[in-house]
Amino acid sequence: MPQLGEPSSSRRNRQRALGLLAAVVALAFVVVLSFALGARTMSLGDAWLGLTDSSAATYTVVHDMRLPRTLLGLLVGVALGLAGCVMQALTRNPLADPGLLGINAGAAAAVVTAISFLGISTFSGYVWFAFAGAAAVSVLVYAVGGGRGATPARLALAGTALNAALLSYVNAVQLLDKASLDRMRFWTVGSLASAEFSTVVKLAPFIAGGVIVTLALARPLNALALGDDSARSLGADPAKARTGAIVAVTLLCGAATAACGPIVFIGLMVPHLVRSLTGPDLRWMLPYCAVLAPVLLLGADVLGRVLGRPGELQVGIVTAVLGGPVFLYFVRRRRMAVV
């Protein structure tokens, strides 16, 4: 029997590797579209000249606007895809996304406080507030959820309660402060429109740190999916795995939310799609999510630019429109499976 199982396992891994390669090709295609399409459509040749030749007529559009926007979309997509995958593994809830633990709401509450009460309105100014808010909520959720004895259900309940409270605070501050409302308007929708190279450079180290922590958690979280007792028997420490997962989600979501605002459903939809392709093994799910989430995010951004000409629809609006029906489909499918 082992001899029969080995070829099957090898064939399965080969299929996964080919699927990952196809995902990389899809990502390259969407990146090209992100350079070429927008309020002003250009040929691939013009886009390439704008990227490489400073004397080209398209240089300013491509190099100063579309390149940083595309790079920011890649980083944020990776962050949200990995964070969603980790959240679903941590809570053992396939309908979980990074907002479930209140991470996005914590970052948003800190940012609106910085804008409204301290007059800060740039990414370099409020990114630290976003991280502080995300980190504070992470610690609070972990403590309220039971600390080292936290369970997926208790973490989800604590995160949901804090998420509701913090979003109420954000809405109250914006209603009471018109200047804050004006500055927060596009940030709360979720947008890549204000991307700059300086934002990309400042964001990259945080995303890289979150990616490293996330990839290191693949085996412990695989073991944790079998239950705490089984995880311990396999050599994993459930408390350390959950702590590491919360650190990773804080880094990834804090950075992404600070740069673009809360973009919804990316962290929900992509892990669902990936799980149907790879199975529940995080050693394959995480790389797939890191590639396919930017495909979805950049694709939604390009779609918003094309549909909204001569202006644009913010990417957060597009992902919400796409994600709402998908979420309802997942919920209905799970209900039918239970019945």
Side-chain angles (χ1 to χ4, degrees), residues 6 12 18 64-65 70 74 80 101 105 115 198 202 217 219 231 235 237 249 260 312 315 318 330 339:
E6 289 175 359
R12 177 64 169 159
L18 289 174
D64 294 348
M65 299 174 63
T70 301
L74 287 171
L80 295 178
L101 291 190
I115 290 175
S198 59
K202 291 170 183 173
L217 289 170
R219 290 182 181 276
D237 186 327
V249 172
C260 302
E312 68 176 74
V315 66
V318 178
F330 288 149
V339 174

Side-chain angles (χ1 to χ4, degrees), residues 20 77-78 81-82 85 270-271 274 284-294:
L20 186 59
V78 169
L82 291 179
C85 188
V270 173
V274 168
W284 284 101
M285 283 192 68
L286 291 173
Y288 265 83
C289 286
V291 176
L292 288 178

